Amino acid sequence: MKPIENYFVPWVKGIPMYVSSHIELAWRQPDLHRMMSNENPWEPSLMVQEAINKYGKLANRYPDQGLVVRSKIADINGVAGPENVMLGNGSSEIFDNIFRCFLQPGEEVIQHTPCFGIYKLRCNILGGKLVSVPMVYKEEQLLFDTNAILAAITDKTKIIVVANPNNPTGNFMAPTDFIRIADKGIPFIIDEAYVEFSGLGKSQVELIKKYKNVLITRTLSKAYGLAGLRFGYALGDKDVIGQISAALFPWNVGTIPMWVALAALEDVEALQKRVNFNNSEVDFIQESLGDVPGLIIFHSHSNYILFDGTDTGKSGDDMVAFALEKGLIFRPQKPMYGRDGWFRLTLGRKEENRMAIDTIREFYTQ
Ligand SMILES: Cc1ncc(COP(=O)(O)O)c(C=O)c1O
């Protein structure tokens, strides 16, 4: 008899379950301040809470295909209709579904690093080969490098994914660069998880009308503040969305998330309040720490801020450990560009942001 290990497909064998240690810690110790996972610090609006209660009572019922919420999404984004919209259990599931439709073992996914970690995980689980193209670190900025992305394309490239704005750098790629990549015809995912913080005017959604290979992904986890709900979506050409939707897990989005998402999309005021708060706090943190000698702050259009404190002579990991002693969970960032001073924080509530400012200043100036 062969041992069970021999039956696993090689690309799954040995991969550990994805566990986010900082999220585990935050749930175990709720007195710690969660400034690490790009969550929204505000609880759901009353309208959303009412929808949670209302549809909680219908949790004995299977969801339908979500035509109502998909139509609402189409409407908000100025695309033809629900046939241009696919729903996911968070946008993470959307990446998974798209990857499964295009990628065979040994084929390549191009990502632009540093970036969100899920692209790599979903690529690995399919036996794909991840090609990481680094951004350029120049004059205290991390810049998109479209030439390098285009140069990384081979005949095995099946997906290119770029987040806009990018996590963790918080900046946008130039609109003309999207066209240069889209013109290649390769499935091109533009991950707009944080775009609502700058408004949909910054979205590249218009590209889907011209390019069948472009897919836009979004989530309600960030500006809408519903990370625990798990709701994301993709926008694309109707034929492409139709084909990818064929690979969806049946009833992947539950009755509660589907209808609560609709309420959240309708509660325009709640979104605006969250966006305004976030953006003024980002500015406040950036201004407050602008005078710390040697600390590089990356101007963010999202709900997190990346720092490089290498020139202070202190490491990012030590910063994160120091913050934890003060009750704040920050996010470490592995050394890159030969520098080890990186860390990131997610915006919290007003008092949390002030604690973070004091903690960072104390760490670098003590
Ligand atoms: C760039 C980016 N895309 C997507 C997501 C995932 O969001 P979701 O909660 O919709 O799976 C994140 C979460 O941190 C992110 O940073």
Side-chain angles (χ1 to χ4, degrees), residues 279-299:
N279 296 351
S280 72
E281 288 293 289
V282 168
D283 288 346
F284 180 72
I285 294 180
Q286 291 178 165
E287 281 161 23
S288 303
L289 292 168
D291 62 345
V292 176
L295 183 63
I296 298 168
I297 308 174
F298 292 82
H299 183 74

Side-chain angles (χ1 to χ4, degrees), residues 37-39 88-95 115-119 163-168 191-194 217-222 226-228 230-233 304 331 344:
S37 291
N38 305 356
E39 296 164 336
N89 188 355
S91 58
S92 296
E93 189 193 40
I94 299 275
F95 304 125
C115 67
F116 181 46
I118 299 285
Y119 317 136
N164 199 48
N166 186 38
N167 169 13
D191 176 356
E192 296 187 340
Y194 302 92
T217 61
R218 300 266 183 78
T219 178
L220 264 59
S221 300
K222 310 299 178 182
L226 293 169
R230 310 306 302 135
F231 187 94
Y233 62 91
Y304 46 81
R331 188 67 170 266
R344 192 182 82 204

